Amino acid sequence: SPYEIDPGYIGSQTVMSHVILALAMLCLLLTVAFLIPAAPVRKQRSTKVNICFSFALLLATFFFLLQNILVKPDDSGPIILRSDACVAYAAIQHYLWLVAFAWMVVEGVVMYLSLVQVFVDHISNYMLKFNLICW
């Protein structure tokens, strides 16, 4: 059919996706690895939120990369398509991406509080509240 995708194109897109996502995971790991030991920087609210966001994005990306190993189109992987395990894996993956997007919203709120509302930016127990909202 004229609408079929060339298998070579699919293969090259898969390789490019894996390489780019692996590079993104490496950069996220480096971000967390550099921010956690720096105590003066780590005490800032934006840095704490950035560490949590990076960790959530790292988990979501890892599960996305793991998908090609666990779920195969020909049902040869450990997770069979249209099974309860497949539904659970998809739900976990969607949840992790939702958490990453929620941390993006929190970063936007923190940025708004620090740039627009300069003097009214105190939130008591803010990390506990942010974690409850996002996770």
Side-chain angles (χ1 to χ4, degrees):
S1 133
Y3 300 109
E4 284 187 33
I5 299 174
D6 181 26
Y9 179 74
I10 292 173
S12 65
Q13 285 288 57
T14 302
V15 169
M16 274 183 21
S17 296
H18 288 155
V19 168
I20 291 170
L21 285 174
L23 184 63
M25 282 183 62
L26 176 68
C27 291
L28 286 167
L29 276 171
L30 288 174
T31 299
V32 172
F34 286 137
L35 288 177
I36 287 178
V41 177
R42 192 180 59 227
K43 291 179 182 177
Q44 297 174 358
R45 180 189 313 174
S46 60
T47 305
K48 291 178 183 179
V49 171
N50 199 0
I51 289 171
C52 291
F53 170 60
S54 297
F55 182 70
L57 200 55
L58 184 67
L59 273 176
T61 305
F62 176 72
F63 270 81
F64 186 76
L65 281 175
L66 199 61
Q67 172 181 321
N68 287 340
I69 296 169
L70 296 177
V71 183
K72 304 280 185 188
D74 59 354
D75 286 340
S76 64
I79 298 177
I80 298 171
L81 292 174
R82 295 180 188 84
S83 68
D84 291 338
C86 187
V87 171
Y89 187 77
I92 290 170
Q93 219 177 7
H94 281 84
Y95 172 74
L96 288 173
W97 285 110
L98 183 66
V99 167
F101 291 132
W103 277 112
M104 277 190 239
V105 170
V106 167
E107 283 212 39
V109 168
V110 167
M111 196 178 304
Y112 172 78
L113 290 174
S114 65
L115 295 175
V116 176
Q117 293 187 347
V118 178
F119 297 111
V120 192
D121 66 0
H122 178 71
I123 302 172
S124 61
N125 298 322
Y126 63 91
M127 282 310 292
L128 176 66
K129 292 176 183 175
F130 290 160
N131 275 296
L132 287 175
I133 289 169
C134 293
W135 289 102

